[in-house]
Amino acid sequence: MCGIVGVLGKHEVAPILVETLKRLEYRGYDSAGIATLADGRLDRRRAVGKLVNLSDLLVHDPLPGKSGIGHTRWATHGGPTVANAHPHRAGGVAVVHNGIIENYKELRAQLSGQPFESETDSETIARLCEHHIAQGLSPRDAVTRTVNALEGAFAVAFLFDGEPDLMIGARKGSPLAVGHGDGEMYLGSDAIALGPMTDRVTYLEEGDIAFLTRSGVEIRDADGKLANRDVRMIAGQATQIDKGGHKHFMAKEMFEQPTVLSECLAYYAPGDTVAIPGQSPDFTDTDRVTMVACGTAHIACQVAKYWFEQLAGLPCDVDIASEFRYREPPISGRATALFVSQSGETADTLAALRYTRDKAATILSVVNVAESSIARESDLALPIMAGVEVGVASTKAFVCQLGVLANLAILAARQKGRIDAAREAELLAQLRALPGLISQALMGEEQIRRRTAKLAQATSALFLGRGPMYPMALEGALKLKEISYIHAEGYASGELKHGPIALVDKAVPVIVLAPRDALFDKTISNMQEVMARDGRVWLVTDAVGAAQAGDGVWDTLVMPAIDPIFAPILYAIPAQLIAYHTALHKGTDVDQPRNLAKSVTVE
Ligand code: M6R
């Protein structure tokens, strides 16, 4: 979390830094700040809350200078206050940091003579560097020594008094990219940030330190050796971010789903067979699929478990990344380990991937950001092709993750001899029908908008589903919690009577996700159990399902009919729209919900 930027420019940098931070605000928005160098002297401005507060401050109190660094914060150590906001400054050193310095207490104790001003781990970096400079080291050597003393995860950018043509960046555990301009150089947490300034980007590797001047960059690796890193061309489209006429990024991203899913499916299976361009995964000798992810990506894995088990007959484990490696699970030497992450930078998922290295036969990842750490550390990274996702609530990335995972399950089923060509073609045809069905489901938006007015008054809600609709119930609840702040839980509907049914009363809306699948009748029986206890049921099913379910439900949302196996992909749409419109009724911040950040790069 946290976004960082640095510019050695030809023009005034403060407005450039603020514009760039806007593109990084998805990484955190508790506070923001910039530091610039004018006439050889550092100065900074910092403000609590959204970036707009920093912009307002700069209107009244501008900051001149052509070199600068900036930061947007997701608070870890110390609350969102001005004192805790970055850049941190010690003497002639200013620093912005993304990550966590685990040994900051020890370092702080060693620097006890220094006047610490914040509660953060990050200030330690500035103070340690300043300490080394005071001992006579050059900024380059001081940074190298500082970085070598840090434990934990970090991407950092440094600026120094009296050094208008020097900026130093370092990376260990958190992403950092160098941007190449025309007589200008940049640092940024990702290529999206640098998009308006340059399409030429170098991704730093673990342990790299980059010494930038306006005429170029020198990169040293973890051993201090000169490192030759590629300069890559980033397609403009890959860094484009706008709301496309929608009120929120989330709305734009929901309505992009038919297009991006269709492109994704065409990439993996242009015809009647799964044919992945380039290297294709091989499940022939795989005895187990171990899937690990966080949040919505973890829910995508839970859905995919049904497909791998039912279609390919492959046993499948699904783990939350933050729990996985601490459990020290044994990994079969014939296992395929599969990591799913939109950002490709989620710290827990990355650590889980590293745990399986040298244990599993193959490490696959399903990612949206092709240059991400998870992609680069996998044996094979499979793109979901969703395009930039800005809304903190994951929507199009989830649907595309499911699209890729469905293709992988079909591929595994074929390689395991569980399906013939005709069945493969039939499954792919069902997948190809989804973008059209999703478009139809999105047309139900107005109906959902009106009905969520009542849901917005609830303080608690339940989502129920059976089979692969159970993870979709979890997804519906996660989305609702995340952006409307209404407490919500997802349950396997058959499990309700083992405890959670005690929660049911007239005040708790119960949303039942019930496509007409093999478990439909059982789901409806569970729904009746809820209604018998005065529960207010909102049934989500197709027209025939609605008729079969009978009377007595509080409300029904009629979905297009769908063959059940890939129904979870379609039922993601009402889950998203319900959360979105409930949030709009409540007036919450849909794209930047409180306490959250899009990319979770700390444990
Ligand atoms: O970038 P990742 O897919 O690894 O992120 C995982 C979760 O943080 C993410 O899915 C989160 O749960 C979303 N905000 C949910 O909408």
Side-chain angles (χ1 to χ4, degrees), residues 23 190-199 201 203 234-242 388:
R23 302 170 74 83
D190 59 30
I192 299 171
L194 302 178
M197 298 183 281
T198 184
D199 56 3
V201 165
Y203 291 95
I234 306 295
Q237 217 185 357
T239 60
Q240 209 174 334
I241 47 171
D242 63 65
V388 179

Side-chain angles (χ1 to χ4, degrees), residues 294-297 340-344 346 349 392-394 401 478-479 482 598 600:
C294 297
T296 282
V340 180
S341 173
Q342 186 284 129
S343 63
T346 300
T349 309
V392 164
S394 187
Q401 284 162 355
L478 176 60
K479 284 286 162 290
E482 188 173 24
K598 180 79 181 155
V600 183

Side-chain angles (χ1 to χ4, degrees), residues 69-88:
I69 54 178
H71 188 268
T72 179
R73 179 169 188 245
W74 188 83
T76 58
H77 297 62
T81 62
V82 171
N84 289 334
H86 300 221
H88 289 288

Side-chain angles (χ1 to χ4, degrees), residues 299-300 302-304 306-307 398-399 402-403 434 438 466-473 475 513 515 517 559 562-576:
I299 291 169
Q302 286 177 280
V303 173
Y306 289 85
W307 297 332
F398 177 63
V399 157
L402 289 175
L434 273 160
I438 288 175
R466 280 190 96 112
M469 298 314 289
Y470 162 47
M472 294 313 297
E475 173 65 2
L513 303 175
D517 55 19
M559 295 287 290
I562 181 170
D563 205 277
I565 186 151
F566 299 125
I569 303 182
L570 178 63
Y571 277 65
I573 308 307
Q576 297 164 358

Side-chain angles (χ1 to χ4, degrees), residues 82-332:
V82 171
N84 289 334
H86 300 221
H88 289 288
R89 187 171 173 186
V93 179
V95 167
V96 287
H97 167 224
N98 167 30
I100 287 183
I101 304 304
E102 287 168 358
N103 60 336
Y104 82 102
K105 283 191 181 145
E106 293 91 299
L107 294 172
R108 216 169 154 134
Q110 287 165 26
L111 298 164
S112 56
Q114 292 219 25
F116 278 86
E117 292 167 356
S118 75
E119 302 153 271
T120 66
D121 53 337
S122 310
E123 189 187 352
T124 318
I125 307 170
R127 300 248 161 239
L128 187 57
C129 189
E130 166 61 15
H131 167 78
H132 290 315
I133 288 175
Q135 304 286 307
L137 293 191
S138 68
R140 280 180 66 116
D141 292 342
V143 167
T144 305
R145 193 170 290 186
T146 299
V147 164
N148 287 340
L150 302 178
E151 288 169 17
F154 53 85
V156 278
F158 294 83
L159 214 56
F160 308 89
D161 260 348
E163 298 279 357
D165 196 29
L166 177 66
M167 181 166 63
I168 304 180
R171 168 202 170 138
K172 188 182 146 202
S174 301
L176 190 61
V178 174
H180 304 258
D182 180 14
E184 299 193 337
M185 290 295 287
Y186 321 103
L187 282 171
S189 291
D190 59 30
I192 299 171
L194 302 178
M197 298 183 281
T198 184
D199 56 3
R200 286 174 294 143
V201 165
T202 298
Y203 291 95
L204 296 185
E205 302 279 331
E206 287 296 273
D208 280 355
I209 303 183
F211 304 93
L212 293 91
T213 64
R214 282 179 178 74
S215 54
V217 61
E218 175 189 314
I219 300 174
R220 299 261 161 194
D221 67 15
D223 298 323
K225 297 203 184 90
L226 211 52
N228 197 5
R229 306 277 180 239
D230 293 346
V231 179
R232 299 177 191 216
M233 294 297 294
I234 306 295
Q237 217 185 357
T239 60
Q240 209 174 334
I241 47 171
D242 63 65
K243 291 186 191 151
H246 289 271
K247 199 169 169 194
H248 297 101
F249 282 109
M250 182 180 175
K252 179 199 172 213
E253 288 158 7
M254 286 190 294
F255 279 86
E256 281 175 345
Q257 290 177 115
T259 308
V260 290
L261 179 63
S262 156
E263 287 167 3
C264 170
L265 295 175
Y267 177 83
Y268 283 92
D272 282 348
T273 184
V274 177
I276 303 175
Q279 195 191 340
S280 190
D282 187 352
F283 292 94
T284 316
D285 290 327
T286 297
D287 64 353
R288 178 166 283 275
V289 177
T290 295
M291 288 191 277
V292 188
C294 297
T296 282
H298 173 252
I299 291 169
C301 296
Q302 286 177 280
V303 173
K305 177 181 167 76
Y306 289 85
W307 297 332
F308 276 107
E309 291 183 348
Q310 288 173 4
L311 292 175
L314 264 172
C316 207
D317 305 309
V318 178
D319 264 272
I320 293 170
S322 54
E323 293 292 325
F324 178 69
R325 69 189 187 286
Y326 296 112
R327 209 178 74 233
E328 299 183 10
I331 307 286
S332 157

